Amino acid sequence: MIQGNTDGLSKAVIEELESIYEMEIPKDVFCTPELVEILCRITTNINREISIYIDRRGDILDVSVGNASQVSLPYMSVRRSETRLNGIRCIHTHPGASGWLSRVDLNSLVNMRMDSMAAIGVKDGRYNHGYAAFINPPESHEEISIEGPLSLDEFCSSILMDQIYIRDKEIRHEKIVEVIEEEQERAILVGVDTDGQGAVSINELAQLATTAGAIVVDKMIQSRKVPDPSTYIGKGKAEELALLCRANNANLVIFDDELTASQIRNLENIIGLRIIDRTALILDIFAGRAISKEGKLQVELAQLKYRLPRLTGMGIVLSRLGGGIGTRGPGEKKLETDRRHIYRRIREIERDLEKVKDRRQALRERRQKNRMPVVALVGYTNAGKSSLMNALSGSNVLVEDKLFATLDPVSRIIDLPNGQEALLVDTVGFINKLPHDLVEAFKSTLEEATYADLLLHVVDCASPNIIEQIDVVEELLESLGCNQSIITVYNKIDLLDNQQPILPIKKPAVYISAVKKTNLDKLIEEIAENLPIKRRKIQLLIPYTEGQVLSQIHDQGQVLEEEYREDGIFVFADLDSAAYGKFEKYKIAD
């Protein structure tokens, strides 16, 4: 099969290219004049680069076609040891007469640990000259060496093969005393700008990639009205991306939108590297952050629902050994096995989560019976919700300057100035383009915001994208059906020069610094003022003749103390405003 850009090629040309696979290259020579003649002639006829892979047995493993100035080297599933060459050499043509090797060629040589990278300059359908590059042993001053310009006889001789065997022997016997750790993933980020916000979105994607443990080596943004349905960025741009990956030694490409199975497959075929999208990246982060059983089940469910329709488009991901971003977490399975097992596992998780939901509902009903007011922290990820939780309650919730530092919901009791208590609940952070499957999986967790009596919308007022982040949170709250009172908490004022920044007016609002504990007293006062449930403690004396009142107090409030005295039943209770007025006639005078 001929790889690469075969558009417009005649059947005869494709058949001649396919015949190259049948050619025999002697083990002791780098190439043959016959093969060079065919490559030069076809290159001139089609005005496109051609590349071939040859192993040390002389077998031709791959034939690819590029365009007039470049050819994307296909992914080869070969050993990439730091102390061995991979046993494959690449020979490709340059239609412009010059056979000089580019930076992309040399980076591909080193990154793929190839035996050699060679280029043939083609002029008027004939061999003009050639160059061949080799990786040097570790003790050498230069990482690579280049031979050339080479005559046709030199290019097709055994001299270049001798260079390969000599270097392989020296590299193989190099003593390595340190343990080589797993290489950190080097990612290139790709986005399509359809609304002028492409730079903002891809910068956030960079934060997500860093949180997942990748090194961002480059970014690519393409302005398009709509993404290409086949390759998201278009075939030509994808081929350009393939060269960018080679030049940066990237081993991962992350796209800023959710990709279809066919888009993933097409991009992998062109680029030759592992492809993941924004959704897979967020799921990977969630997989690493989930601690509770419920959180792990929710992530696994979202991963399975996301991966199931994309099994056919995850060729490189599923065929390679090892893990990596997008493949980790409780949802990591051999998904290519049997879809029936996946469907069965999804049903199992949904049943387990339904039980968890029932338990959570029972807790909510108990709170409602006790009339404990609930205040939920909501906001964009990394806005400082966990820091505020710690500052208000004195707890030690994990705080990191990363996206989604905490995942599982946390609740703590806080004291208000009027002597009232409230339950403060931290929820998972929101983010732009939050995956639909993730929203569905975390529905029971997000419902904490729905059932809360008051919401604290924590905003990072130092963020350059504050308006967009506020809009994202408000849209998600609306989709969840949240219509209760909201206090906008502008956090991180310590990072601003002006302590009263000009921000979108969202009243009631408080400007604070959770880290510096600035204006927390004002926030507590606003919470007490805006809570719809006003609770007060009261001492009551219930006559024995009205014993039924005691059961009403138990139903409508929280009994803190109960004592049977000679003159009646003493009750110390915590009641909301309505119940307080109803039972105030039994109040013991202070």
Side-chain angles (χ1 to χ4, degrees), residues 104-125:
V104 173
D105 294 332
L106 300 179
N107 280 334
S108 297
L109 168 71
V110 174
N111 186 40
M112 300 178 71
R113 304 291 296 176
M114 305 189 81
D115 282 359
S116 177
M117 174 65 68
I120 298 172
V122 180
K123 184 177 182 180
D124 299 329

Side-chain angles (χ1 to χ4, degrees), residues 335-364:
L335 297 179
E336 68 271 44
T337 52
D338 191 343
R339 290 176 183 269
R340 288 176 298 178
H341 296 314
I342 301 172
Y343 284 121
R344 187 181 303 120
R345 179 58 182 156
I346 287 175
R347 289 194 294 270
E348 290 174 358
I349 296 174
E350 288 176 338
R351 284 196 296 268
D352 290 342
L353 286 176
E354 198 62 36
K355 295 177 182 177
V356 174
K357 183 178 180 180
D358 291 341
R359 288 197 296 270
R360 192 180 294 276
Q361 183 61 32
L363 287 174
R364 291 195 190 103

Side-chain angles (χ1 to χ4, degrees), residues 26-192:
K27 296 179 181 180
D28 59 341
V29 298
F30 192 77
C31 195
T32 63
E34 179 186 8
L35 178 55
V36 171
E37 188 274 329
I38 293 175
L39 292 176
C40 291
R41 176 166 46 79
I42 299 178
T43 294
T44 300
N45 289 341
I46 65 176
N47 193 33
R48 301 181 193 180
E49 287 194 7
I50 302 172
S51 77
I52 60 172
Y53 283 170
I54 308 174
D55 66 15
R56 293 184 191 174
R57 293 189 300 269
D59 295 331
I60 295 178
L61 306 179
D62 182 87
V63 180
S64 295
V65 179
N67 55 36
S69 61
Q70 62 191 38
V71 60
S72 298
L73 302 180
Y75 173 82
M76 297 297 291
S77 181
V78 293
R79 169 172 44 86
R80 296 186 182 179
S81 168
E82 290 292 331
T83 59
R84 295 289 301 277
L85 300 178
N86 71 8
I88 297 174
R89 60 188 182 274
C90 175
I91 299 174
H92 65 288
T93 59
H94 288 175
S98 173
W100 183 251
L101 293 161
S102 68
R103 182 167 66 96
V104 173
D105 294 332
L106 300 179
N107 280 334
S108 297
L109 168 71
V110 174
N111 186 40
M112 300 178 71
R113 304 291 296 176
M114 305 189 81
D115 282 359
S116 177
M117 174 65 68
I120 298 172
V122 180
K123 184 177 182 180
D124 299 329
R126 296 178 180 273
Y127 179 94
N128 186 35
H129 59 246
Y131 287 86
F134 305 89
I135 297 176
N136 288 326
E139 71 275 6
S140 301
H141 296 296
E142 300 291 336
E143 186 177 21
I144 60 175
S145 60
I146 301 176
E147 301 290 335
L150 302 167
S151 66
L152 179 59
D153 289 341
E154 290 172 326
F155 195 85
C156 296
S157 69
S158 62
I159 297 175
L160 298 182
M161 286 304 298
D162 291 341
Q163 293 272 19
I164 292 174
Y165 288 118
I166 290 171
R167 283 169 167 74
D168 191 47
K169 184 177 179 181
E170 291 176 347
I171 292 173
R172 185 188 306 178
H173 287 88
E174 180 70 20
K175 293 182 179 179
I176 303 295
V177 296
E178 62 180 2
V179 177
I180 300 174
E181 298 181 355
E182 184 178 352
E183 183 182 359
Q184 190 169 13
E185 286 168 299
R186 296 169 56 83
I188 289 181
L189 312 183
V190 184
V192 168

